[in-house]
Amino acid sequence: MYDHLLGGQGGYASDRRACAQLLDLAPRLSELAAFNRAFLGRAVRHLAAQHEVRRYLDLGSGIPHRPHVHEIARESRPDTHVVYVDNDPVALGKSRLVLAEDPTAATVLCADIRDTASILRHPRVARLLEAGLPVAVLCGWVLECIPDDEDPWALVRDLTGRLPGGSYLVVSHLTHDDPAVRAEVGDFLGKALGRHWGNIRPRRDVARFFTGLRMVGQDAPGDVAGWNPGHPPQPAPRSPGGWVQYGGVARVP
């Protein structure tokens, strides 16, 4: 569905039907998908160029879209390596097909993002960590997969606590100020996706993912559509209908 919202043509008919129903509830959600994708690209480009980050762990990477994370980072850091993590068979199959072009640039790992211990033990991921160089963990439209009763905040704390010092966390999370709207859209997504996605949170709960970390490019989490450090200030696109892609980039002590 995310691929379809971004203009991809590879989804199933069921995905397209679900997206049509979803857009009836939140007509401009495809814009938010684009905001999310653009923010992740800016974050990777900034971390590679300005902070010399060469190692990335992309959680819930989904169906590949160009430019890929490793392509963006390699614009300034040719020795970049990215581990893409997902547990959806369609996303994994397409990722392996596309990323087989350059196995030195990226690895595709089948894993549940909640199993951080197994992910970090995987040889390719362990290789990212063993040099002690900064690693950027990307969480774009994926923490919505984890319900509150499974404590996604503890998962993020556990993950960032295992990273080398000076690593980075990148989060983009769908939010809405109105709890009734969050509940309506979240309930639809939960049913459409078998409860695998749709935990839409208020901004204050997304901000908790950054507890103990130092924000980069802004003083506090915010609308990621306006995140663009090092460039002249520009007005951020107006968030459609009360929806906000909320989050940011933070450095691990």
Side-chain angles (χ1 to χ4, degrees), residues 124-136:
R124 291 289 183 142
V125 180
R127 203 170 302 158
L128 290 186
L129 303 176
E130 66 186 5
L133 298 173
V135 175

Side-chain angles (χ1 to χ4, degrees), residues 8-219:
Q9 303 301 314
Y12 293 110
S14 57
D15 299 321
R16 294 190 290 274
R17 285 195 300 270
C19 280
Q21 292 175 272
L22 175 61
L23 292 172
D24 282 341
L25 292 175
R28 298 175 67 186
L29 202 60
S30 56
E31 292 181 54
L32 289 158
F35 290 171
N36 172 70
R37 186 68 190 168
F39 161 68
L40 292 175
R42 292 195 304 274
V44 169
R45 188 169 284 110
H46 178 78
L47 290 175
Q50 302 302 321
H51 299 275
E52 302 186 8
V53 178
R54 297 172 172 85
R55 306 288 182 264
Y56 297 83
L57 187 60
D58 188 353
L59 300 182
S61 50
I63 293 174
H65 279 268
R66 290 193 185 275
H68 308 306
V69 170
H70 64 276
E71 292 173 329
I72 295 170
R74 283 191 161 205
E75 292 171 6
S76 54
R77 305 294 164 194
D79 57 342
T80 288
H81 191 85
V82 179
V83 176
Y84 295 98
V85 181
D86 211 300
N87 65 350
D88 180 86
V90 174
L92 290 166
K94 294 190 175 187
S95 295
R96 288 179 177 132
L97 183 64
V98 170
L99 301 174
E101 299 170 5
D102 188 355
T104 66
T107 300
V108 181
L109 174 60
C110 177
D112 187 319
I113 66 167
R114 294 170 295 184
D115 191 358
T116 55
S118 292
I119 291 172
L120 295 177
R121 281 198 306 267
H122 188 277
R124 291 289 183 142
V125 180
R127 203 170 302 158
L128 290 186
L129 303 176
E130 66 186 5
L133 298 173
V135 175
V137 175
L138 311 180
C139 300
W141 270 30
V142 68
L143 294 170
E144 292 92 336
C145 294
I146 307 172
D148 289 0
D149 59 12
E150 293 188 29
D151 200 350
W153 302 277
L155 182 151
V156 170
R157 284 196 305 273
D158 178 60
L159 182 58
T160 55
R162 296 168 184 249
L163 298 177
S167 291
Y168 294 87
L169 174 69
V170 180
V171 171
S172 179
H173 196 296
L174 188 61
T175 69
H176 197 286
D177 291 333
D178 188 334
V181 173
R182 290 198 304 270
E184 180 183 25
V185 175
D187 185 60
F188 169 80
L189 286 167
K191 290 176 180 175
L193 300 171
R195 315 312 308 180
H196 294 305
W197 207 89
N199 299 285
I200 301 167
R201 298 182 168 95
R203 300 183 198 190
R204 64 179 180 275
D205 285 348
V206 179
R208 290 172 56 196
F209 291 116
F210 298 99
T211 300
L213 308 181
R214 182 164 57 84
M215 302 304 298
V216 174
Q218 57 195 35
D219 295 331

